[in-house]
Amino acid sequence: MYQSFAGKVALVTGAASGIGRASALAFAQHGAKVVVADVLVADGEETVRMIKDAGGDALFIATDVSKASEVEALVRQTVAHYGRLDVAHNNAAIEGALAPTASYTEEDWDRTINVNLKGTWLCMKYEILQMLQQGGGAIVNTASVVGLVGTMGLPAYCASKGGVVQLTKAAALEYAKAGIRVNAICPGATYTPMLNRLLAQPGAETGMLATIPLGRISKPEEVAAAAVWLCSDAASYVTGHTMVVDGGLIAQ
């Protein structure tokens, strides 16, 4: 059964809240030892406490995924503490500024791309190097439905998430024969701190709900379940796949 991650080590970035926290908790529930990574120390340590309170084993490592030295240290410390790295969910991201393309500042563009796209690449780079030494592994990257269909007012976020989709496909092809599977999830609207900030705009939630065939916004646990499945043995023949978890949004 895919639920068994016993004896495996999972690394989740952006695990201080939202989808990342739900993913870290799910991996731990299914038997993995979990490394929780985030820039938000107190909330990241709270995720670790939640895992330990449920009987799991977890470690927090403060990490800015946009900085190569910190990502390299994250993987190195993971292996030093647990001895290996089997699974990685690269989930850390920011929404960036809310502004149309021509009004976007270079500073906001660079920051969003550096965290969301460069950060995912850096995580993959060091995770893959470790997995090559072990003879395999599984990686899932969090992209977004707006990396597939776009939306107004978030040009850097859309570009970064579209880039994550293509980066996932490239790495999946490069490392398939090495036993490393690489997939992506594309969440739609999901109740996270990021979405809550966007929903603060007048009428935003009503307008969003009107676009979702299932008529509701997802819970983080529903998206995390997809990430866990893609990293499990049940998905052993799945690589280079972009799994949409959006309540039917882009089927329209």
PDB file of all heavy atoms in Angstrom, residues 145-175:
ATOM      1  N   VAL A 145      -2.347  25.663 -10.751  1.00  0.00           N
ATOM      2  CA  VAL A 145      -3.174  25.746 -11.960  1.00  0.00           C
ATOM      3  C   VAL A 145      -2.862  27.010 -12.756  1.00  0.00           C
ATOM      4  O   VAL A 145      -2.984  27.018 -13.980  1.00  0.00           O
ATOM      5  CB  VAL A 145      -4.684  25.695 -11.631  1.00  0.00           C
ATOM      6  CG1 VAL A 145      -5.092  24.328 -11.148  1.00  0.00           C
ATOM      7  CG2 VAL A 145      -5.076  26.776 -10.634  1.00  0.00           C
ATOM      8  N   VAL A 146      -2.416  28.076 -12.073  1.00  0.00           N
ATOM      9  CA  VAL A 146      -2.109  29.301 -12.819  1.00  0.00           C
ATOM     10  C   VAL A 146      -0.761  29.217 -13.531  1.00  0.00           C
ATOM     11  O   VAL A 146      -0.382  30.132 -14.259  1.00  0.00           O
ATOM     12  CB  VAL A 146      -2.182  30.561 -11.922  1.00  0.00           C
ATOM     13  CG1 VAL A 146      -3.558  30.686 -11.298  1.00  0.00           C
ATOM     14  CG2 VAL A 146      -1.090  30.581 -10.881  1.00  0.00           C
ATOM     15  N   GLY A 147      -0.051  28.124 -13.344  1.00  0.00           N
ATOM     16  CA  GLY A 147       1.099  27.824 -14.184  1.00  0.00           C
ATOM     17  C   GLY A 147       0.678  27.138 -15.471  1.00  0.00           C
ATOM     18  O   GLY A 147       1.493  26.933 -16.376  1.00  0.00           O
ATOM     19  N   LEU A 148      -0.605  26.780 -15.559  1.00  0.00           N
ATOM     20  CA  LEU A 148      -1.147  26.121 -16.745  1.00  0.00           C
ATOM     21  C   LEU A 148      -2.097  27.020 -17.522  1.00  0.00           C
ATOM     22  O   LEU A 148      -2.114  26.996 -18.757  1.00  0.00           O
ATOM     23  CB  LEU A 148      -1.897  24.840 -16.335  1.00  0.00           C
ATOM     24  CG  LEU A 148      -1.083  23.776 -15.614  1.00  0.00           C
ATOM     25  CD1 LEU A 148      -1.994  22.647 -15.143  1.00  0.00           C
ATOM     26  CD2 LEU A 148       0.028  23.232 -16.505  1.00  0.00           C
ATOM     27  N   VAL A 149      -2.908  27.816 -16.817  1.00  0.00           N
ATOM     28  CA  VAL A 149      -3.907  28.632 -17.500  1.00  0.00           C
ATOM     29  C   VAL A 149      -3.762  30.127 -17.233  1.00  0.00           C
ATOM     30  O   VAL A 149      -4.388  30.930 -17.921  1.00  0.00           O
ATOM     31  CB  VAL A 149      -5.335  28.189 -17.105  1.00  0.00           C
ATOM     32  CG1 VAL A 149      -5.584  26.759 -17.541  1.00  0.00           C
ATOM     33  CG2 VAL A 149      -5.586  28.353 -15.607  1.00  0.00           C
ATOM     34  N   GLY A 150      -2.966  30.518 -16.258  1.00  0.00           N
ATOM     35  CA  GLY A 150      -2.756  31.939 -16.006  1.00  0.00           C
ATOM     36  C   GLY A 150      -3.879  32.602 -15.240  1.00  0.00           C
ATOM     37  O   GLY A 150      -4.979  32.077 -15.106  1.00  0.00           O
ATOM     38  N   THR A 151      -3.590  33.780 -14.726  1.00  0.00           N
ATOM     39  CA  THR A 151      -4.572  34.620 -14.064  1.00  0.00           C
ATOM     40  C   THR A 151      -4.060  36.048 -14.103  1.00  0.00           C
ATOM     41  O   THR A 151      -2.871  36.281 -14.327  1.00  0.00           O
ATOM     42  CB  THR A 151      -4.814  34.163 -12.608  1.00  0.00           C
ATOM     43  OG1 THR A 151      -5.981  34.809 -12.097  1.00  0.00           O
ATOM     44  CG2 THR A 151      -3.627  34.500 -11.705  1.00  0.00           C
ATOM     45  N   MET A 152      -4.933  37.000 -13.901  1.00  0.00           N
ATOM     46  CA  MET A 152      -4.520  38.409 -13.943  1.00  0.00           C
ATOM     47  C   MET A 152      -3.960  38.861 -12.600  1.00  0.00           C
ATOM     48  O   MET A 152      -4.419  38.433 -11.544  1.00  0.00           O
ATOM     49  CB  MET A 152      -5.708  39.289 -14.329  1.00  0.00           C
ATOM     50  CG  MET A 152      -6.232  39.035 -15.726  1.00  0.00           C
ATOM     51  SD  MET A 152      -7.520  40.214 -16.208  1.00  0.00           S
ATOM     52  CE  MET A 152      -8.843  39.725 -15.096  1.00  0.00           C
ATOM     53  N   GLY A 153      -2.964  39.722 -12.658  1.00  0.00           N
ATOM     54  CA  GLY A 153      -2.455  40.369 -11.455  1.00  0.00           C
ATOM     55  C   GLY A 153      -1.340  39.663 -10.730  1.00  0.00           C
ATOM     56  O   GLY A 153      -0.815  40.192  -9.750  1.00  0.00           O
ATOM     57  N   LEU A 154      -0.956  38.468 -11.215  1.00  0.00           N
ATOM     58  CA  LEU A 154       0.129  37.721 -10.578  1.00  0.00           C
ATOM     59  C   LEU A 154       1.110  37.224 -11.650  1.00  0.00           C
ATOM     60  O   LEU A 154       1.360  36.026 -11.766  1.00  0.00           O
ATOM     61  CB  LEU A 154      -0.425  36.537  -9.779  1.00  0.00           C
ATOM     62  CG  LEU A 154      -1.226  36.853  -8.523  1.00  0.00           C
ATOM     63  CD1 LEU A 154      -1.939  35.597  -8.018  1.00  0.00           C
ATOM     64  CD2 LEU A 154      -0.336  37.441  -7.433  1.00  0.00           C
ATOM     65  N   PRO A 155       1.686  38.120 -12.440  1.00  0.00           N
ATOM     66  CA  PRO A 155       2.505  37.674 -13.571  1.00  0.00           C
ATOM     67  C   PRO A 155       3.737  36.877 -13.168  1.00  0.00           C
ATOM     68  O   PRO A 155       4.055  35.864 -13.805  1.00  0.00           O
ATOM     69  CB  PRO A 155       2.897  38.983 -14.266  1.00  0.00           C
ATOM     70  CG  PRO A 155       2.765  40.036 -13.206  1.00  0.00           C
ATOM     71  CD  PRO A 155       1.612  39.592 -12.363  1.00  0.00           C
ATOM     72  N   ALA A 156       4.430  37.272 -12.114  1.00  0.00           N
ATOM     73  CA  ALA A 156       5.632  36.542 -11.701  1.00  0.00           C
ATOM     74  C   ALA A 156       5.276  35.186 -11.123  1.00  0.00           C
ATOM     75  O   ALA A 156       5.963  34.191 -11.374  1.00  0.00           O
ATOM     76  CB  ALA A 156       6.425  37.363 -10.689  1.00  0.00           C
ATOM     77  N   TYR A 157       4.197  35.136 -10.370  1.00  0.00           N
ATOM     78  CA  TYR A 157       3.751  33.861  -9.800  1.00  0.00           C
ATOM     79  C   TYR A 157       3.364  32.898 -10.922  1.00  0.00           C
ATOM     80  O   TYR A 157       3.771  31.731 -10.919  1.00  0.00           O
ATOM     81  CB  TYR A 157       2.569  34.107  -8.864  1.00  0.00           C
ATOM     82  CG  TYR A 157       2.103  32.872  -8.132  1.00  0.00           C
ATOM     83  CD1 TYR A 157       2.804  32.403  -7.023  1.00  0.00           C
ATOM     84  CD2 TYR A 157       0.970  32.172  -8.536  1.00  0.00           C
ATOM     85  CE1 TYR A 157       2.382  31.275  -6.332  1.00  0.00           C
ATOM     86  CE2 TYR A 157       0.546  31.044  -7.853  1.00  0.00           C
ATOM     87  CZ  TYR A 157       1.258  30.597  -6.758  1.00  0.00           C
ATOM     88  OH  TYR A 157       0.855  29.474  -6.091  1.00  0.00           O
ATOM     89  N   CYS A 158       2.598  33.375 -11.889  1.00  0.00           N
ATOM     90  CA  CYS A 158       2.213  32.529 -13.023  1.00  0.00           C
ATOM     91  C   CYS A 158       3.446  32.031 -13.770  1.00  0.00           C
ATOM     92  O   CYS A 158       3.537  30.848 -14.117  1.00  0.00           O
ATOM     93  CB  CYS A 158       1.313  33.305 -13.981  1.00  0.00           C
ATOM     94  SG  CYS A 158      -0.322  33.688 -13.339  1.00  0.00           S
ATOM     95  N   ALA A 159       4.382  32.936 -14.047  1.00  0.00           N
ATOM     96  CA  ALA A 159       5.592  32.557 -14.773  1.00  0.00           C
ATOM     97  C   ALA A 159       6.415  31.541 -13.987  1.00  0.00           C
ATOM     98  O   ALA A 159       6.931  30.567 -14.549  1.00  0.00           O
ATOM     99  CB  ALA A 159       6.425  33.797 -15.079  1.00  0.00           C
ATOM    100  N   SER A 160       6.523  31.764 -12.681  1.00  0.00           N
ATOM    101  CA  SER A 160       7.330  30.853 -11.860  1.00  0.00           C
ATOM    102  C   SER A 160       6.708  29.470 -11.809  1.00  0.00           C
ATOM    103  O   SER A 160       7.412  28.461 -11.895  1.00  0.00           O
ATOM    104  CB  SER A 160       7.490  31.417 -10.445  1.00  0.00           C
ATOM    105  OG  SER A 160       6.272  31.412  -9.725  1.00  0.00           O
ATOM    106  N   LYS A 161       5.401  29.403 -11.702  1.00  0.00           N
ATOM    107  CA  LYS A 161       4.748  28.102 -11.593  1.00  0.00           C
ATOM    108  C   LYS A 161       4.707  27.374 -12.936  1.00  0.00           C
ATOM    109  O   LYS A 161       4.800  26.139 -12.989  1.00  0.00           O
ATOM    110  CB  LYS A 161       3.336  28.271 -11.017  1.00  0.00           C
ATOM    111  CG  LYS A 161       3.333  28.723  -9.564  1.00  0.00           C
ATOM    112  CD  LYS A 161       4.107  27.766  -8.657  1.00  0.00           C
ATOM    113  CE  LYS A 161       3.949  28.100  -7.192  1.00  0.00           C
ATOM    114  NZ  LYS A 161       4.613  27.123  -6.313  1.00  0.00           N
ATOM    115  N   GLY A 162       4.581  28.122 -14.027  1.00  0.00           N
ATOM    116  CA  GLY A 162       4.727  27.498 -15.337  1.00  0.00           C
ATOM    117  C   GLY A 162       6.122  26.938 -15.520  1.00  0.00           C
ATOM    118  O   GLY A 162       6.316  25.859 -16.088  1.00  0.00           O
ATOM    119  N   GLY A 163       7.107  27.665 -15.004  1.00  0.00           N
ATOM    120  CA  GLY A 163       8.481  27.186 -15.049  1.00  0.00           C
ATOM    121  C   GLY A 163       8.683  25.922 -14.237  1.00  0.00           C
ATOM    122  O   GLY A 163       9.426  25.020 -14.641  1.00  0.00           O
ATOM    123  N   VAL A 164       8.018  25.817 -13.084  1.00  0.00           N
ATOM    124  CA  VAL A 164       8.117  24.608 -12.263  1.00  0.00           C
ATOM    125  C   VAL A 164       7.583  23.393 -13.019  1.00  0.00           C
ATOM    126  O   VAL A 164       8.161  22.300 -12.955  1.00  0.00           O
ATOM    127  CB  VAL A 164       7.380  24.794 -10.924  1.00  0.00           C
ATOM    128  CG1 VAL A 164       7.226  23.467 -10.181  1.00  0.00           C
ATOM    129  CG2 VAL A 164       8.113  25.801 -10.041  1.00  0.00           C
ATOM    130  N   VAL A 165       6.493  23.578 -13.755  1.00  0.00           N
ATOM    131  CA  VAL A 165       5.935  22.475 -14.547  1.00  0.00           C
ATOM    132  C   VAL A 165       6.961  21.974 -15.554  1.00  0.00           C
ATOM    133  O   VAL A 165       7.198  20.763 -15.682  1.00  0.00           O
ATOM    134  CB  VAL A 165       4.653  22.925 -15.276  1.00  0.00           C
ATOM    135  CG1 VAL A 165       4.210  21.881 -16.305  1.00  0.00           C
ATOM    136  CG2 VAL A 165       3.531  23.179 -14.272  1.00  0.00           C
ATOM    137  N   GLN A 166       7.600  22.872 -16.273  1.00  0.00           N
ATOM    138  CA  GLN A 166       8.559  22.473 -17.301  1.00  0.00           C
ATOM    139  C   GLN A 166       9.857  21.942 -16.704  1.00  0.00           C
ATOM    140  O   GLN A 166      10.460  21.002 -17.238  1.00  0.00           O
ATOM    141  CB  GLN A 166       8.844  23.646 -18.239  1.00  0.00           C
ATOM    142  CG  GLN A 166       7.643  24.053 -19.082  1.00  0.00           C
ATOM    143  CD  GLN A 166       7.110  22.886 -19.906  1.00  0.00           C
ATOM    144  OE1 GLN A 166       6.035  22.358 -19.629  1.00  0.00           O
ATOM    145  NE2 GLN A 166       7.858  22.469 -20.904  1.00  0.00           N
ATOM    146  N   LEU A 167      10.289  22.518 -15.600  1.00  0.00           N
ATOM    147  CA  LEU A 167      11.468  22.019 -14.897  1.00  0.00           C
ATOM    148  C   LEU A 167      11.246  20.591 -14.422  1.00  0.00           C
ATOM    149  O   LEU A 167      12.138  19.736 -14.514  1.00  0.00           O
ATOM    150  CB  LEU A 167      11.773  22.933 -13.710  1.00  0.00           C
ATOM    151  CG  LEU A 167      12.954  22.570 -12.808  1.00  0.00           C
ATOM    152  CD1 LEU A 167      14.256  22.553 -13.580  1.00  0.00           C
ATOM    153  CD2 LEU A 167      13.023  23.544 -11.633  1.00  0.00           C
ATOM    154  N   THR A 168      10.056  20.315 -13.951  1.00  0.00           N
ATOM    155  CA  THR A 168       9.691  18.964 -13.511  1.00  0.00           C
ATOM    156  C   THR A 168       9.818  17.969 -14.650  1.00  0.00           C
ATOM    157  O   THR A 168      10.385  16.875 -14.490  1.00  0.00           O
ATOM    158  CB  THR A 168       8.253  18.960 -12.966  1.00  0.00           C
ATOM    159  OG1 THR A 168       8.189  19.810 -11.805  1.00  0.00           O
ATOM    160  CG2 THR A 168       7.793  17.557 -12.603  1.00  0.00           C
ATOM    161  N   LYS A 169       9.299  18.335 -15.819  1.00  0.00           N
ATOM    162  CA  LYS A 169       9.355  17.434 -16.970  1.00  0.00           C
ATOM    163  C   LYS A 169      10.798  17.186 -17.404  1.00  0.00           C
ATOM    164  O   LYS A 169      11.174  16.045 -17.721  1.00  0.00           O
ATOM    165  CB  LYS A 169       8.544  18.016 -18.125  1.00  0.00           C
ATOM    166  CG  LYS A 169       7.054  18.061 -17.847  1.00  0.00           C
ATOM    167  CD  LYS A 169       6.295  18.688 -19.012  1.00  0.00           C
ATOM    168  CE  LYS A 169       4.799  18.743 -18.731  1.00  0.00           C
ATOM    169  NZ  LYS A 169       4.048  19.347 -19.849  1.00  0.00           N
ATOM    170  N   ALA A 170      11.604  18.237 -17.426  1.00  0.00           N
ATOM    171  CA  ALA A 170      13.001  18.084 -17.837  1.00  0.00           C
ATOM    172  C   ALA A 170      13.742  17.130 -16.900  1.00  0.00           C
ATOM    173  O   ALA A 170      14.436  16.208 -17.350  1.00  0.00           O
ATOM    174  CB  ALA A 170      13.692  19.448 -17.863  1.00  0.00           C
ATOM    175  N   ALA A 171      13.600  17.340 -15.597  1.00  0.00           N
ATOM    176  CA  ALA A 171      14.307  16.498 -14.632  1.00  0.00           C
ATOM    177  C   ALA A 171      13.795  15.058 -14.670  1.00  0.00           C
ATOM    178  O   ALA A 171      14.572  14.112 -14.513  1.00  0.00           O
ATOM    179  CB  ALA A 171      14.154  17.076 -13.225  1.00  0.00           C
ATOM    180  N   ALA A 172      12.492  14.893 -14.893  1.00  0.00           N
ATOM    181  CA  ALA A 172      11.932  13.538 -14.961  1.00  0.00           C
ATOM    182  C   ALA A 172      12.577  12.751 -16.096  1.00  0.00           C
ATOM    183  O   ALA A 172      12.891  11.567 -15.940  1.00  0.00           O
ATOM    184  CB  ALA A 172      10.419  13.614 -15.159  1.00  0.00           C
ATOM    185  N   LEU A 173      12.784  13.399 -17.227  1.00  0.00           N
ATOM    186  CA  LEU A 173      13.418  12.733 -18.363  1.00  0.00           C
ATOM    187  C   LEU A 173      14.897  12.458 -18.096  1.00  0.00           C
ATOM    188  O   LEU A 173      15.418  11.397 -18.452  1.00  0.00           O
ATOM    189  CB  LEU A 173      13.265  13.598 -19.610  1.00  0.00           C
ATOM    190  CG  LEU A 173      11.832  13.806 -20.110  1.00  0.00           C
ATOM    191  CD1 LEU A 173      11.814  14.815 -21.256  1.00  0.00           C
ATOM    192  CD2 LEU A 173      11.204  12.492 -20.549  1.00  0.00           C
ATOM    193  N   GLU A 174      15.554  13.408 -17.464  1.00  0.00           N
ATOM    194  CA  GLU A 174      16.993  13.275 -17.230  1.00  0.00           C
ATOM    195  C   GLU A 174      17.341  12.142 -16.267  1.00  0.00           C
ATOM    196  O   GLU A 174      18.383  11.498 -16.430  1.00  0.00           O
ATOM    197  CB  GLU A 174      17.541  14.598 -16.676  1.00  0.00           C
ATOM    198  CG  GLU A 174      17.535  15.731 -17.694  1.00  0.00           C
ATOM    199  CD  GLU A 174      17.708  17.098 -17.053  1.00  0.00           C
ATOM    200  OE1 GLU A 174      17.589  17.211 -15.799  1.00  0.00           O
ATOM    201  OE2 GLU A 174      17.946  18.065 -17.795  1.00  0.00           O
ATOM    202  N   TYR A 175      16.493  11.905 -15.278  1.00  0.00           N
ATOM    203  CA  TYR A 175      16.867  10.980 -14.196  1.00  0.00           C
ATOM    204  C   TYR A 175      15.981   9.743 -14.108  1.00  0.00           C
ATOM    205  O   TYR A 175      16.086   8.985 -13.144  1.00  0.00           O
ATOM    206  CB  TYR A 175      16.887  11.742 -12.865  1.00  0.00           C
ATOM    207  CG  TYR A 175      17.920  12.836 -12.891  1.00  0.00           C
ATOM    208  CD1 TYR A 175      17.543  14.161 -13.085  1.00  0.00           C
ATOM    209  CD2 TYR A 175      19.278  12.538 -12.808  1.00  0.00           C
ATOM    210  CE1 TYR A 175      18.496  15.170 -13.170  1.00  0.00           C
ATOM    211  CE2 TYR A 175      20.232  13.536 -12.884  1.00  0.00           C
ATOM    212  CZ  TYR A 175      19.844  14.848 -13.071  1.00  0.00           C
ATOM    213  OH  TYR A 175      20.787  15.844 -13.165  1.00  0.00           O
TER     214      TYR A 175
END
